[in-house]
Amino acid sequence: MYRNTEDSSDKNYRNNFIFFPFVVINPSLEVEAAAKDYEAKVRAKFPNVEWPTFDLLLLGMGPDGHTASLFPGHALLKEDKLWIAPISDSPKPPPCRVTMTFPVINKARCCIFAMAGQGKADMVKRILGDSEALPSGMVKPINGELIWILDEGAASKL
């Protein structure tokens, strides 16, 4: 429903990194129910707080500058009440996804974008070099650190 295409960051991270136990999205639920279920699970890990503070969020960036299923021009960019939101009209397949919102992302202690390849260079320049207002550029931890890890190809136009 919303995961593990051959080129997804999720699949790449799962196949190439070791993870400690983490909260998972239930793919057997419809997207709205999956988002509510996931938010309940995350809230259980962060009880009695207005917004959770993750130690680290490892993020990717799509060819349109989206991150965490937060797409340019989409209403979810302005979501400020939900921790976790459903998206059922994604402009990139799959159409149904579950995402953290910017208030959650920007409360993290550290957000890291990791990317490689010349194919990312134009978008990296638009966000880091030109400060274009795209979702990946909206990741700005309030009391945390933002790190971009780029190989030579991804950084080639900076």
Side-chain angles (χ1 to χ4, degrees):
M1 193 155 127
Y2 21 72
R3 59 199 243 140
N4 284 357
T5 59
E6 282 304 311
D7 65 343
S8 75
S9 294
D10 180 60
K11 184 168 185 172
N12 182 40
Y13 295 149
R14 286 178 190 261
N15 290 342
N16 295 299
F17 296 96
I18 297 171
F19 284 102
F20 293 98
F22 61 100
V23 179
V24 296
I25 297 168
N26 183 343
S28 68
L29 298 174
E30 293 298 321
V31 69
E32 291 83 7
K36 286 179 183 175
D37 176 69
Y38 188 63
E39 181 163 331
K41 291 174 184 174
V42 173
R43 283 184 180 275
K45 301 286 184 187
F46 295 95
N48 306 314
V49 297
E50 183 179 7
W51 296 102
T53 300
F54 286 88
D55 290 324
L56 173 67
L57 294 178
L58 183 58
L59 302 167
M61 180 184 66
D64 58 356
H66 84 269
T67 190
S69 296
L70 295 165
F71 291 90
H74 198 280
L76 284 181
L77 297 178
K78 295 179 181 174
E79 174 58 55
D80 63 359
K81 294 184 178 35
L82 298 173
W83 289 12
I84 307 296
I87 178 170
S88 57
D89 59 350
S90 168
K92 177 185 175 202
C96 294
R97 299 164 176 241
V98 172
T99 185
M100 290 180 177
T101 60
F102 275 122
V104 172
I105 293 168
N106 286 329
K107 281 281 289 178
R109 288 187 181 95
C110 183
C111 293
I112 298 176
F113 281 94
M115 57 199 65
Q118 185 71 35
K120 299 288 186 179
D122 285 331
M123 192 55 62
V124 167
K125 180 188 179 298
R126 288 173 64 186
I127 291 168
L128 297 181
D130 303 335
S131 300
E132 192 170 330
L134 291 164
S136 292
M138 295 170 67
V139 175
K140 297 177 180 176
I142 297 163
N143 293 310
E145 188 174 14
L146 176 61
I147 299 169
W148 286 75
I149 300 172
L150 309 170
D151 74 351
E152 190 174 319
S156 65
K157 296 193 177 180
L158 291 177

